[in-house]
């Protein structure tokens, strides 16, 4: 999979692409991410890439010609299976979309700036518009990095152990379970004994149950398509919670 990020500000994306897991994955050739400066495709001597909006109004709009030409310049190296415009009005990024794109082939990711991008980019060039959430940032560079990093985790070589992806929030269908490390006790808060007793079957069961507990509290909408084993664990959890509520109530009344 090759990903090309197209931006007016390459410096915003370059440092994060060199750091940590992304940087290592690129060095090892597991991830082919390149950056193209849209300004290199401006035609005039001032290298203009934005202009005032037709109809008036605040701010500037990114011109369409440099963006079309920048994307087209990649055709020999990138199959351009999906051409994505990062945009607050796009489809909201979630794990299902990350998985869909990870299987889609090569991507070009266009970062908007200013008041946005001439509509003809979305209309005549892009296959997708993707938002990272219902808020507005000043540019598409950070959203593009969010997308690239999420995609990178779908490549089994990038994250040291594939198991850590499988147990991630959303990938497993639930939110992630709680994690602890040394010290065993800190400021009166102790790590659960089960994690230190070495019984792997019990540890796995505890983790799945905790993932269910947290998902039930914070994102009950994710519990709709549970497998049989998870349904049983959830029922057990609900029983335990209502027993503990009953006990608390009778202690208070008593
Ligand atoms: N006027 C635009 C609107 O109301 O939809 C917002 C433009 S924003 C200031 C500039 C650029 O930042 C956008 O073209 C887009 O590329 C990027 N951007 C901002 N928020 C985003 C988000 N939530 N998701 C993805 N991209 C975003």
């Amino acid at each position: 999979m090759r990903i090309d990020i197209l931006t007016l500000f390459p410096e915003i994306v370059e440092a994060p692409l060199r750091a940590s897991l992304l940087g290592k994955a690129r060095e090892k050739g597991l991830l082919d991410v390149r950056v193209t400066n849209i300004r290199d495709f401006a035609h005039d001597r001032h290298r203009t890439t934005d202009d005032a909006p037709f109809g008036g109004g605040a701010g500037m709009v990114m011109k369409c010609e440099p963006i079309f030409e920048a994307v087209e310049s990649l055709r020999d190296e990138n199959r351009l299976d999906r051409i994505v415009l990062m945009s607050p009005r796009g489809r909201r990024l979630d794990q299902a979309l990350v998985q869909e794109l990870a299987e889609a082939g090569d991507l070009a990711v266009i970062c908007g700036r200013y008041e946005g991008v001439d509509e003809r980019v979305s209309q005549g060039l892009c296959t997708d518009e993707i938002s990272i959430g219902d808020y507005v940032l000043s540019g598409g560079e950070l959203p593009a990095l969010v997308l690239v990093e999420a995609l990178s985790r779908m490549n089994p070589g990038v994250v040291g152990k594939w198991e850590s992806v499988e147990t991630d929030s959303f990938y497993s269908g639930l939110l992630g379970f709680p994690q602890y490390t040394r010290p065993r006790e800190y400021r009166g808060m102790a790590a659960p004994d089960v994690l230190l007793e070495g019984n792997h079957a019990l540890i796995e069961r505890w983790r799945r149950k905790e993932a269910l507990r947290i998902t039930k509290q914070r994102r009950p909408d994710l519990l709709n398509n549970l497998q049989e084993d998870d349904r049983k664990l959830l029922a057990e959890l609900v029983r335990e919670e209502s027993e503990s509520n009953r006990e608390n109530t009778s202690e208070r009344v008593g």
Side-chain angles (χ1 to χ4, degrees), residues 86-89 110-117 130-133 135-140 143:
M86 300 314 301
S87 159
R89 64 180 199 184
I110 301 164
C111 308
R113 276 272 150 184
Y114 317 124
E115 286 309 304
V117 177
I130 296 179
S131 163
I132 60 160
Y135 43 84
V136 177
L137 301 169
S138 301

Side-chain angles (χ1 to χ4, degrees), residues 135-222:
Y135 43 84
V136 177
L137 301 169
S138 301
E141 289 76 13
L142 299 180
L145 287 170
V146 167
L147 177 61
V148 168
E149 187 153 310
L151 284 168
S152 75
R153 293 182 68 79
M154 296 296 97
N155 178 329
V158 171
V159 183
K161 286 191 177 158
W162 183 243
E163 187 196 340
S164 50
V165 171
E166 283 176 336
T167 57
D168 271 345
S169 292
F170 307 111
Y171 190 92
S172 66
L174 301 176
L175 300 182
F177 52 77
Q179 299 273 20
Y180 297 85
T181 185
R182 273 183 280 266
R184 188 172 182 159
E185 199 170 324
Y186 184 66
R187 299 191 181 196
M189 297 175 284
D193 290 339
V194 63
L195 299 179
L196 294 137
E197 286 163 358
N199 183 329
H200 293 290
L202 280 184
I203 292 173
E204 214 168 287
R205 192 171 192 279
W206 180 87
R207 286 181 164 161
R208 194 69 188 165
K209 206 164 163 183
E210 285 305 302
L212 283 162
R213 185 194 310 281
I214 289 171
T215 309
K216 177 172 165 290
Q217 279 167 1
R218 300 181 189 178
R219 290 292 305 274
D221 56 300
L222 297 177

Side-chain angles (χ1 to χ4, degrees), residues 12 32 52 126 161 199:
I12 299 179
D32 190 1
C126 293
K161 286 191 177 158
N199 183 329

Side-chain angles (χ1 to χ4, degrees), residues 27-82:
E27 265 170 32
K28 286 189 203 154
L30 294 169
L31 206 61
D32 190 1
V33 186
R34 317 267 175 115
V35 183
T36 296
N37 190 341
I38 296 171
R39 201 172 295 286
D40 293 342
F41 296 84
H43 290 289
D44 62 325
R45 112 187 131 80
H46 300 294
R47 303 177 82 209
T48 310
T49 53
D50 59 296
D51 208 339
F54 284 144
M60 300 294 269
V61 174
M62 279 176 73
K63 290 164 70 59
C64 54
E65 313 98 292
I67 300 178
F68 270 78
E69 290 174 32
V71 170
E72 281 158 7
S73 77
L74 300 169
R75 275 203 197 284
D76 290 340
E77 305 151 32
N78 181 319
R79 285 172 296 150
L80 300 175
D81 296 298
R82 304 279 275 261

